[in-house]
Amino acid sequence: MTVLDQFDLNDSDFPQKLEERMMNSGGYPYDKKLKRSRYEEELEQLQIEMVKVQEWVRAKDERIVIVFEGRDAAGKGGSIKALTQYTNPRHVRMVALSKPSDVERGQWYFQRYAKQLPTQGEIVLFDRSWYNRAGVEPVMGFCTPEQTEKFLKDAPRFEDMILDSGTKLFKFWLNIGQEMQLKRFHDRRHSRLKHWKLSPIDIKALDKWGAYTDARNLMLKHTHTSHSPWTILRANDKRRARLNMMRYLLLNLNYDGKDEEAIGEIDPNILGHGPAFLHGSE
């Protein structure tokens, strides 16, 4: 019996057997979430540092791009919200593009993403990015295998151009287990506030877990490079994922007034780099 055989999205009760396995799904190393009180205390310190980063970026005319990728319901939007809660939206901007228009489909694939790259003194965060062509598009049949193959060759070149311009680039992949994804889908389906977040694409993707895993692995193999690495976050616990994401970002920026004691240390069980970090987890 597969995981999906035990699950009915429309049933208001989430299966007990899946709930018992959801936290440890995908090889997650902790049995419980980080306590909220500790999370909020540590998050505040990191958000104070993020305000310093914003001021430094403005003063030094820096440009920063932060890409958030992961399966549906992995926690991309919440991570961005935690990162930007106290920053100025005029200088720290989120990009979440809808499907391309007819005009955009006729353009160079990276063109509409290049238009969103930051100017001096700006931070841009992508809630999904050009990596759609390595994930949802091939899995759902929205592009050809040849287009994906070309993308996997071109993406490192595109990122080289971003880096060569002096722009700093961070790429985060948020990884969750299948049972955890099903729980989050179920919560969305039965929430009067969040049901809109469960899209038809999400529902179609329910039986494509393996295809998404294969697409992710191929993407990491071809686009994890020494100069543009993928930082992997085990994200079954959103709180730990957000804290470690912010720590990594802050520790890798040389901004004025950095307080490394306030930033704290990265948890190596939660954050790592490239395909090797996920080896054996799924």
Side-chain angles (χ1 to χ4, degrees):
M1 180 180 291
T2 68
V3 171
L4 285 180
D5 291 332
Q6 306 171 55
F7 177 71
D8 181 356
L9 184 63
N10 294 315
D11 188 338
S12 60
D13 293 325
F14 188 72
Q16 182 66 29
K17 288 184 178 180
L18 298 185
E19 186 151 5
E20 291 171 357
R21 301 202 306 263
M22 67 182 185
M23 183 56 73
N24 295 123
S25 62
Y28 195 73
Y30 295 105
D31 295 325
K32 296 180 181 179
K33 295 180 180 178
L34 187 70
K35 288 185 177 180
R36 179 177 292 276
S37 57
R38 179 178 170 187
Y39 167 69
E40 291 178 349
E41 179 182 351
E42 295 182 8
L43 178 63
E44 182 179 13
Q45 295 302 310
L46 297 172
Q47 289 174 329
I48 290 170
E49 294 300 302
M50 194 62 209
V51 171
K52 296 178 186 177
V53 168
Q54 171 188 252
E55 294 168 349
W56 169 74
V57 166
R58 290 288 293 165
K60 302 296 185 180
D61 287 336
E62 295 284 347
R63 296 188 298 268
I64 299 176
V65 173
I66 309 173
V67 169
F68 289 88
E69 290 286 352
R71 297 180 191 268
D72 296 314
K76 300 179 290 296
S79 295
I80 292 171
K81 183 177 180 181
L83 191 64
T84 61
Q85 186 173 359
Y86 295 104
T87 58
N88 187 335
R90 294 180 180 176
H91 311 308
V92 182
R93 174 169 55 91
M94 185 190 77
V95 175
L97 299 181
S98 59
K99 66 180 183 180
S101 66
D102 290 340
V103 171
E104 288 171 331
R105 278 194 290 270
Q107 295 174 341
W108 175 48
Y109 175 75
F110 293 94
Q111 189 164 337
R112 72 187 191 127
Y113 298 103
K115 287 168 60 177
Q116 299 293 337
L117 294 175
T119 188
Q120 290 180 332
E122 189 178 32
I123 302 171
V124 172
L125 306 97
F126 283 88
D127 185 349
R128 294 202 181 278
S129 66
W130 47 93
Y131 282 99
N132 280 332
R133 181 134 293 181
V136 64
E137 289 188 18
V139 172
M140 302 305 295
F142 298 152
C143 69
T144 67
E146 291 76 18
Q147 287 174 319
T148 298
E149 183 179 0
K150 177 172 173 50
F151 169 82
L152 293 172
K153 293 178 181 177
D154 289 347
R157 300 172 189 168
F158 177 60
E159 291 165 13
D160 282 345
M161 288 189 286
I162 293 174
L163 294 166
D164 288 346
S165 74
T167 301
K168 294 176 173 59
L169 173 63
F170 296 87
K171 301 187 302 189
F172 292 106
W173 175 269
L174 278 64
N175 204 69
I176 57 172
Q178 187 174 17
E179 288 87 346
M180 182 57 74
Q181 185 189 55
L182 293 178
K183 180 64 166 67
R184 292 179 185 176
F185 279 176
H186 185 268
D187 288 348
R188 289 179 179 182
R189 168 67 179 82
H190 297 280
S191 168
R192 297 177 65 184
L193 294 174
K194 298 181 180 180
H195 65 272
W196 60 271
K197 297 178 73 174
L198 188 66
S199 71
I201 293 294
D202 294 338
I203 296 172
K204 288 181 180 178
L206 279 173
D207 62 352
K208 297 183 183 296
W209 179 268
Y212 272 104
T213 298
D214 292 343
R216 178 204 65 191
N217 292 345
L218 189 65
M219 178 199 77
L220 293 176
K221 177 182 177 181
H222 288 277
T223 63
H224 174 66
T225 64
S226 59
H227 50 280
S228 183
W230 276 103
T231 300
I232 313 295
L233 292 156
R234 292 193 172 112
N236 280 3
D237 178 6
K238 296 178 181 180
R239 295 168 187 169
R240 286 188 175 92
R242 292 168 188 169
L243 294 177
N244 282 278
M245 174 272 295
M246 293 181 70
R247 288 186 180 116
Y248 179 81
L249 177 67
L250 293 165
L251 289 171
N252 283 277
L253 293 171
N254 295 318
Y255 58 94
D256 298 332
K258 179 191 283 191
D259 184 345
E260 294 199 9
E261 184 176 349
I263 296 171
E265 296 182 355
I266 290 169
D267 182 346
N269 292 315
I270 296 298
L271 185 147
H273 299 282
F277 187 65
L278 293 177
H279 180 67
S281 67
E282 292 180 328

